[in-house]
Amino acid sequence: MVKEEQETANRPDNTAFTQQRLPAWQPMLSAGIVIPGFVLIGLAFIGIGVALFVTTRSIQVLELDYSGVEQSSPCFKCSDTSTKNCVCNMNFNLDKLFEGPVFFYYGLSNYFQNFRRYGVSKDLDQLSGNLDNFENPTDDCVPFQYDANKKPIVPCGAVANSIFNDTFKLYQIIGGTKKPVPLDGKGIAWWTDYNIKNRNPSVTPLKNAFNGTVQPSNWPKPAYELDPTDPANNGFINQDFLVWMRRAALPNFRKLYRRIAEEDYAQGLPAGNYSLEIAYNYPVLSFDGRKKVVLSNVSWMGGKNEFLGIAYLVIGSLCVVMSVVMLIVYAKFKFPDEE
Amino acid sequence: MSVRRPDTHGSMVPNDEVMPYSDDETDDELDDDFDETSDEGEEPEVPRPPHPPVEARPSEIGWKVKANDRPYHQLPEFEKKVFLCIKKSRYSGNAIKTYKYNAITFLPLNLYEQFKRAANLYFLALLILQIIPDITTLPWYTTLIPLVVVLGITAIKDLVDDLARHRMDKEINNRRCDVLLNGSFQETKWMDIQVGDVVRMKKNDFIPADILLLSSSNPNSLCYVETAELDGETNLKFKMGLRVTDERLQQEDQLAQFDALIDCEEPNNRLDKFTGTMLWQRERYPLDLDNMMLRGCKIRNTDVSHGLVIFAGGNTKIMRNGGKTRFKRTKIDELMNYMVYTIFALLILVAAGLAIGHSFWYEEIGSKAWYLYDGKNQSSSYRGFLSFWGYIIVLNTMVPISLYVSVEVIRLGQSKFINWDLQMYFAEKDTPAKARTTTLNEQLGQIEYIFSDKTGTLTQNVMQFKKCTIAERSYGNPTTAEGVTLDRGRPVDWTWNHLADKKFQFMDHSLVAVVRSLKDKEALEFFKLLSLCHTVMVEHKDGDLIYQAASPDEGALVTAARNFGYVFLSRTQDTITIREMDQENTYHMLALLDFNSDRKRMSIILKFPDGRIRLYCKGADTVIYERLSPNSKYKETTQTALDEFANETLRTLCLCYKDISQAEFDAWSRKHKEAQVTMVDRDAALDHVYEEIEKDLMLIGATAIEDKLQEGVPETIATLAKAGIKIWVLTGDKKETAENIGYACSLLTDDMQIHYGEDVNEKLVVRQANRRSEAFTSHPSKKKPAEPFFTDGGKNALIITGGWLNEILYEKKKKRRRLRLRRLGKRPPITNPQDPQPCNDWEKEMRQIDFVDMACECEAVICCRVTPKQKANVVSLVKKYKKAVTLSIGDGANDVNMIKTADIGVGISGQEGMQAVMSSDYAFAQFRYLQRLLLVHGRWSYIRMCKFLRFFFFKNFSFTLIHFWYSFFSGYSSQIGYEDWFITLYNLCYSSLPVLLVGLLDQDVNDKLSLKFPRLYLPGQERRMFNYKNFFVSLFHGIFVSLIIFFIPYGAFLQTMGQDGEAPSDYQSFAVVTASSLIFTVNLQISLDTAYWTFVNCFAVLGSIAIYFGIVFDLHSAGIHFLFPSMFTFTGVASNALRQPYLWLTIILTVGISLLPVICIQFLYKTIWPSDGDKVQRNRKKYEKELEEEERRTKTSAFQRGRRSRRSAYAFSHSRGYADLLASGRSIRRRPPTRGGAQDSIREVSQREAENI
């Protein structure tokens, strides 16, 4: 017995793995699978496409460009950067109920928030409430790291510095009087952003944490005074600030400004005349940018976008067409081959 | 040397019988040889010129070894410069070192080696770029982590390899041997042996170095060695000590006093040559190869032998013969490198384009955007320049960092599968197949030419007495004792003969019956002849007889006689004792007319106990028939039997006898004695004398010996031929033997026209002449497709000897030609286009090309009588001019060179010799495993590797080019399209496992079908599965997928908002969507490409996707953010983004568009233009069922051999027998009497030299 073992000491193991005989499924792209598969996928895609297309059609969107490029625009007077604290009013008319909840966005175009060096110009340690980085912001923030007096800028960096600072008020005009539409600014940012990602330093009052620092040069007031109405909405967890800091992927983007879901407007904006009061601060014309206000409601799939529905329809139809083509080709080439 | 050098300078026809020993011969040596031979030939007795020849060449100090004097070899004059002014003795120690690293040098050396690889260096450069703050676009860890992993894995693999080498070296270096130190023999390790040491070796010891045999326990200081490690031949060779050392150096104290000075040639690799002189006690003695015992041999049948170490360690002939260990790379490796360079060029182009884009963008838009102000006053072109480097970093993943390491892993896996393959495991010797190199596997699927050794590779080097014809009757087929033919016989039972060799098998019971009945006088004479007429030596060991034959053929014949009751018992110098059935008889041997390759026969003249004198002769049918007496009977029947044997590719010998009267013998004997002492051309004189007696012979019959093929050789060769692989046999054997084997293993068939050296040479000369005359008449035209050499359309085969090879390829002729030209005065212009000599290197090269072209037109090529060097040369010729992938297979040290030269070297393991295996890339025990290695493992490896590479390139293109598309929308700012951690982990975790598994496990068809349809091997040879076309297809596929993966989300994100009104169009959500789409696309694409779905594959694909989501959710989680707030910036993105159904719909659409067109195209392509593989694959189930049925029906059927035309199947021993040794009595020297006068002159010379020293 021992001798036998010795004689086959070098014998490889006879297992399915070592002998490369693992049980396996060897699928083939055979006509029986591919052609019906394409038909099925095509039909499914068409179904999704129709659903998307129908849904997106039902979504109402209202866009108002208030950059003030054209002379006719009410905001033309504000487009001159020398004017300070300019306020302009845009009037619009809804001829039917704008179903709620209505979302209020501001939009910028030709604005490169996705520019790499702009994007990295922030201090995440600082934003997560690390006081060391209040005194010494990261070098990524240059040139918005220290001011001329070598005082650290908090929040530092280009993104924070360029925060969007136009403000809006919406009025419904009922019989010549302006009835303010309540705008809800809570929960417009991701929950994770103001609960996890960004934290204020645990110093009370918050103001003391900012001792020895300066506010960004473009900011009219320091970070701890961003929202005078709600003390919890200040510092780095201010929702407007968070929305701005979450940079857009593409040069044309919208950012959520407010929600309209309260009081009389919980069901949406009734038909009628409205006036939008804009505090025009943010310069965009120097780089050929545009500013917009967008009112939109949403569906299960989000906002209005016809692209996806159409794309699904096109691809679905192509699948069906291709399955027919494949069937023809298969019928033509298959039979002589089998012989 | 016992064999005369071919006289090639005079005549143009090389001698087919001898090997052209050209290895390592320099032109100078050729000249010397020329001089020496003419000296010896004409005036061997003339005293040497007054000054010793050593001093004639003062530039060369020669190789001087002093016995028992270690300090002597450390003298400054024997030092050579190693490095700057550090000098070292020329005499290397006996330790061998094959390892590369030790504990200290491992890290630096290994890193250095690894950074020699362009890819690793590239990533190091990237890492440095990433540290520069102005340029860095990706964090440093995106490159560092993969680089460290890659370097680490490679380093571990190198370490394991090197440890194995350390172990091997240690084992060999620590072998023990007795060395004479301080006056007595002490057991010493091999590594401590030094040049000039006297060593003592025992029976069955390996010889530790190249050693001059001084004395042994056998009479005349004879010593038997087995040279299997050197040349694969298992028959023993004998070595002899000089007479003087034999007489005076038997005792330990004598040996301790030994202080000779050896002056010999420098270390070289010629196994067949050694020249030197020994100066001892003021006398000079010539030394030659017969005195040398080479490292690697084994001592046999000699209890104790003493020797003097001449060459040690790396200077030994066997080590020198190793040739350079070439670093072998596969064609795919080369191609892969070129592709990496292509990608690199592409990368630079793209980065440059984007950099220009950035310059313009900044000029037009960026400089006006106040929010982008960065405080740096840089011009837009400088920003463009920085952006260039930034993009080099961002797009670096186009060059897949993990490519090389993944390829290594796959190859390692393939090698393991080869090692594990039970069907390549040889149970008899317990030898599994072994992939010794792990870097060449896919090359196994591309072999076009196989160069095979014969002895030990195709054949077992076992000769078996198979059949015979005795006086009109043929024996050998299975029969009963009554002579009834059977289909399947039992082997004969030899128990009646207690001296029989149990291993000997014979099927014909009738022959035994005939012999035992003692009636058939011819049959008795037949076996008596076999037991008497040979040069075999016998040894009695434990009551058993062991025959030592110069050739296995002789051994087989004598063994046959032994089993049939004619047992050769012993021999003395002039008697032979045999047992004839029950009676012991001693015959007086009057003369032994030894075999040589010209005579093709051997005879023995014996005086019988009753006083009769009889000559027994055995030899080739052609030479024997010429010398038969007109009265001889059985001529026709024997001839018929010979034809039959030849058709069965048996090796035949005719046996005959002749009675000689005393007077006749006396007369002849006188002439014989005269001839024996002739000084000039003794061999010719002897041949002439032999001729006189070997006539009027009476034929008895003929023997047929089977040179046993390895199992399954003909079938393997036939299968490989169907796979489009050409097989060349390169052997040191003789032409007849090689041709015989060619037929036996179905390499040659009857419908082939065989071309020999003369024919080939003629055709080549004509071709050369045509080319010359063309060059005269017209300007050298552009390359025309070469016309075929063989226009008759039939199959052709080439059999060419080493001599002809030299002749045809003009090897080693430059010097002679130069000399001749010098003699003629000046270089003559070529006036005669028929002049066969080349006029310049170009012609030489053209001639080589012509030869290779011609040989490749043939179905089979057999090169015989070739030296190891020539074997290698033939291989490299084909490699060079055909650009083909070559494989060499062999088992002996003489194959080492060709094994190392070929793209892939295969060694036959499990035998005594290890040299071939040690230098091989793959080793297994049987030639027949080659078909499994190539057609199954090679094919799979190739397909897997190609699939892997195609997919790998695709995967990284589709991954990286997103950044390119994104740059158009991000101001060309080298903004990346994903999270940086995704970039770091993509190749490591998210996408490699499934493709790696495809590279390891994929099978389009199983092994049985691979073997059944050898034509499935063709795509590998034609390199169809991975080439530039495939590469660009992968590139475009990658571009397409990246385009989809970027632009579908782009369209979806352009204007939208989430379900809850929050805008999802932020950069981080976008990055997660593209990354998720990519992961799905890539993993599903590899699923589509997987032909062989095991649960592991399934697990890997699902696992990769799961791992992706797992890691993404982890990296985006709160916990990791609290720990490293600035390292992980995507906090909460995955959970926020991926709960939007809209984004999932985007991902589904993206994946769908990426995959569906590919499926469609693949389907159409396979339907319209199906490849062989597709067809087999489609009918896989049917074929598998067929195979199963086939297996059930029949096991293996006997291989059919057709009728063949008559050819001489004569074949006999490789070398002349031991006749000299046996017959020359006391002085068993080759040329005993020639020394007389010469020694005086040597003494004179030696005195002079002694004074000089």
Side-chain angles (χ1 to χ4, degrees), chain B residues 669-900:
Chain B
S669 182
R670 226 170 297 124
K671 286 189 206 164
H672 183 216
K673 288 219 174 74
E674 267 170 41
Q676 270 180 322
V677 293
T678 317
M679 293 307 166
V680 186
D681 218 353
R682 189 173 336 110
D683 286 349
L686 277 173
D687 283 359
H688 186 71
V689 175
Y690 290 167
E691 193 78 25
E692 281 179 27
I693 195 91
E694 288 169 328
K695 60 184 182 191
D696 295 330
L697 304 168
M698 305 298 285
L699 190 64
I700 309 174
T703 58
I705 290 176
E706 185 185 28
D707 185 355
K708 239 185 147 185
L709 288 177
Q710 298 270 6
E711 216 177 301
V713 166
E715 293 88 341
T716 304
I717 287 180
T719 315
L720 291 178
K722 268 189 236 156
I725 301 171
K726 291 196 170 168
I727 297 167
W728 294 27
V729 174
L730 309 178
T731 172
D733 266 1
K734 290 187 319 179
K735 200 162 83 182
E736 291 82 359
T737 331
E739 188 175 338
N740 187 31
I741 289 299
Y743 281 104
C745 58
S746 78
L747 191 61
L748 301 175
T749 50
D750 277 329
D751 52 349
M752 284 183 187
Q753 199 191 342
I754 296 177
H755 303 268
Y756 296 95
E758 300 82 349
D759 189 13
V760 171
N761 193 33
E762 198 177 303
K763 278 185 163 43
L764 290 175
V765 170
V766 169
R767 177 61 60 101
Q768 179 171 298
N770 286 347
R771 191 178 295 123
R772 278 187 195 158
S773 46
E774 222 168 81
F776 277 124
T777 51
S778 61
H779 4 249
S781 53
K782 270 175 243 153
K783 276 222 164 174
K784 283 185 292 186
E787 314 147 32
F789 285 91
F790 305 112
T791 43
D792 49 355
K795 286 182 175 175
N796 293 287
L798 209 67
I799 295 182
I800 196 160
T801 55
W804 274 110
L805 265 182
N806 271 359
E807 185 66 32
I808 288 167
L809 302 177
Y810 309 128
E811 297 285 337
K812 307 289 172 197
K813 292 221 168 161
K814 260 192 268 171
K815 174 80 173 208
R816 270 185 212 131
R817 185 176 159 72
R818 231 173 18 242
L819 283 176
R820 199 186 308 145
L821 288 178
R822 208 184 298 153
R823 238 174 279 141
L824 284 173
K826 58 173 185 179
R827 172 183 279 249
I830 321 155
T831 44
N832 178 14
Q834 299 300 323
D835 178 15
Q837 289 300 310
C839 62
N840 53 26
D841 284 349
W842 181 77
E843 281 215 329
K844 196 172 154 181
E845 199 183 312
M846 289 310 288
R847 171 61 86 85
Q848 292 184 344
I849 294 178
D850 284 346
F851 171 70
V852 173
D853 283 346
M854 181 196 271
C856 292
E857 274 177 43
C858 295
E859 306 289 316
V861 178
I862 295 177
C863 300
C864 32
R865 282 280 166 218
V866 286
T867 63
K869 187 89 160 200
Q870 278 184 317
K871 287 184 177 183
N873 282 346
V874 170
V875 175
S876 51
L877 273 183
V878 174
K879 247 173 89 173
K880 188 169 156 198
Y881 295 120
K882 281 278 155 186
K883 304 259 180 299
V885 186
T886 54
L887 178 145
S888 294
I889 177 166
D891 69 323
N894 54 349
D895 306 315
V896 165
N897 228 327
M898 93 175 167
I899 283 176
K900 286 191 174 170

Side-chain angles (χ1 to χ4, degrees), chain A residues 7 12 19-20 22 24-25 105 112 114 116 124-125 190 192 197 246-247 249 254 283 303 305 312 337, chain B residues 370-371 420 422 430 944 966 969 973 1003 1052 1057 1061-1062 1066-1068 1092-1093 1121 1129 1136 1142 1145 1178:
Chain A
E7 270 171 7
Q19 301 309 313
Q20 307 201 52
L22 281 178
W25 175 54
Y105 302 89
F112 287 84
N114 60 11
R116 187 181 61 81
L124 289 158
D125 281 311
W190 284 356
T192 49
K197 196 173 178 189
R246 182 155 288 285
R247 15 185 222 128
R254 297 169 184 178
N305 186 339
Y312 263 107
D337 179 60
Chain B
W370 55 267
Y371 56 91
W420 287 331
L422 265 178
D430 190 24
R944 288 165 181 174
Y966 195 26
F969 303 94
S973 61
Q1003 316 178 358
M1057 52 261 338
E1062 287 161 6
D1066 66 297
Y1067 158 72
Q1068 295 191 330
Y1092 192 75
W1093 268 93
H1121 175 79
T1129 60
N1136 278 303
Y1142 183 76
L1145 286 177
R1178 198 174 300 163

Side-chain angles (χ1 to χ4, degrees), chain B residues 605-617:
Chain B
I605 303 176
L606 297 163
K607 191 167 203 168
F608 280 39
D610 60 6
R612 280 185 295 150
I613 296 177
R614 180 169 269 196
L615 176 143
Y616 283 130
C617 176

Side-chain angles (χ1 to χ4, degrees), chain A residues 85-128:
Chain A
N85 298 327
C86 175
V87 174
C88 55
N89 282 296
M90 298 274 289
N91 294 326
F92 61 93
N93 172 268
L94 294 176
D95 45 15
K96 61 172 183 179
L97 172 74
F98 203 104
E99 274 177 51
V102 177
F103 295 88
F104 188 117
Y105 302 89
Y106 64 87
L108 292 172
S109 47
N110 204 23
Y111 192 100
F112 287 84
Q113 245 201 333
N114 60 11
F115 193 82
R116 187 181 61 81
R117 285 212 212 160
Y118 173 84
V120 297
S121 184
K122 60 189 172 213
D123 187 340
L124 289 158
D125 281 311
Q126 195 183 58
L127 294 175
S128 66

Side-chain angles (χ1 to χ4, degrees), chain B residues 932-945:
Chain B
R932 193 168 170 85
L933 184 72
L934 300 189
L935 299 188
V936 178
H937 289 284
R939 203 181 85 85
W940 278 348
S941 296
Y942 177 72
I943 290 176
R944 288 165 181 174
M945 186 57 76

Side-chain angles (χ1 to χ4, degrees), chain A residues 6-14 17-31 34-35 38 41 45 48 52 63 103 105 110-118 124-125 128 142-144 158 162 187-193 195-199 218 246-256 259 282-284 286-288 292 296 298-305 307-308 311-312 315 319 322 325-326 329-330 333-334 337-338, chain B residues 134-137 358 361 365 368-376 378 383 386 417 419-423 425 427 430 432 937 940 944 966 969-971 973-975 1000-1001 1003-1005 1047-1048 1050-1063 1065-1070 1088 1090-1096 1118 1121-1122 1125-1126 1129 1131-1133 1135-1136 1141-1142 1145-1146 1148-1149 1152-1153 1156 1159-1160 1162-1164 1167-1168 1170 1175 1177-1180:
Chain A
Q6 270 177 353
E7 270 171 7
T8 57
N10 296 323
R11 188 187 179 88
D13 293 339
N14 187 9
F17 175 67
T18 55
Q19 301 309 313
Q20 307 201 52
R21 284 191 320 254
L22 281 178
W25 175 54
Q26 287 178 270
M28 282 281 300
L29 281 181
S30 64
V34 174
I35 296 172
F38 262 67
I41 291 173
F45 272 26
I48 296 173
L52 282 174
E63 266 191 32
F103 295 88
Y105 302 89
N110 204 23
Y111 192 100
F112 287 84
Q113 245 201 333
N114 60 11
F115 193 82
R116 187 181 61 81
R117 285 212 212 160
Y118 173 84
L124 289 158
D125 281 311
S128 66
V142 172
F144 307 105
S162 60
I188 54 171
W190 284 356
W191 184 89
T192 49
D193 278 356
N195 282 298
I196 295 163
K197 196 173 178 189
N198 281 15
R199 311 285 297 163
N218 281 0
R246 182 155 288 285
R247 15 185 222 128
L250 298 166
N252 299 332
F253 58 86
R254 297 169 184 178
K255 282 175 186 284
L256 185 58
R259 246 179 254 274
Y282 206 69
V284 292
S286 61
F287 54 88
D288 291 331
K292 288 181 270 218
S296 171
V298 297
S299 66
W300 60 271
M301 57 154 278
K304 189 179 183 80
N305 186 339
F307 172 81
L308 209 56
Y312 263 107
I315 300 300
C319 278
M322 278 324 289
V325 171
M326 282 190 283
V329 170
Y330 179 68
F333 283 91
K334 179 221 162 187
D337 179 60
E338 288 295 289
Chain B
D134 263 355
I135 293 172
T136 178
T137 46
H358 184 71
W361 182 87
I365 299 169
K368 295 176 194 150
W370 55 267
Y371 56 91
L372 293 180
Y373 173 72
D374 59 4
K376 294 189 180 113
Q378 291 163 334
R383 283 168 191 274
L386 291 181
F417 280 128
N419 295 349
W420 287 331
D421 195 338
L422 265 178
Q423 294 180 56
Y425 166 75
D430 190 24
H937 289 284
W940 278 348
R944 288 165 181 174
Y966 195 26
F969 303 94
S970 66
S973 61
S974 31
Q975 173 63 44
L1000 283 170
L1001 302 176
Q1003 316 178 358
D1004 55 343
V1005 293
F1047 280 101
I1048 297 296
Y1050 171 81
F1053 272 65
L1054 195 54
Q1055 288 179 336
T1056 193
M1057 52 261 338
Q1059 206 179 10
D1060 43 11
E1062 287 161 6
S1065 61
D1066 66 297
Y1067 158 72
Q1068 295 191 330
S1069 305
F1070 183 80
L1088 286 174
T1090 308
Y1092 192 75
W1093 268 93
T1094 63
F1095 66 94
V1096 198
H1121 175 79
F1122 285 128
S1126 60
T1129 60
T1131 308
V1133 178
S1135 51
N1136 278 303
Y1142 183 76
L1145 286 177
T1146 312
I1148 291 170
L1149 182 69
I1153 301 180
L1156 291 173
I1159 300 176
C1160 183
Q1162 248 175 27
F1163 176 80
L1164 291 178
T1167 312
I1168 302 174
K1175 283 181 198 162
Q1177 222 175 336
R1178 198 174 300 163
N1179 301 318
R1180 182 169 46 84

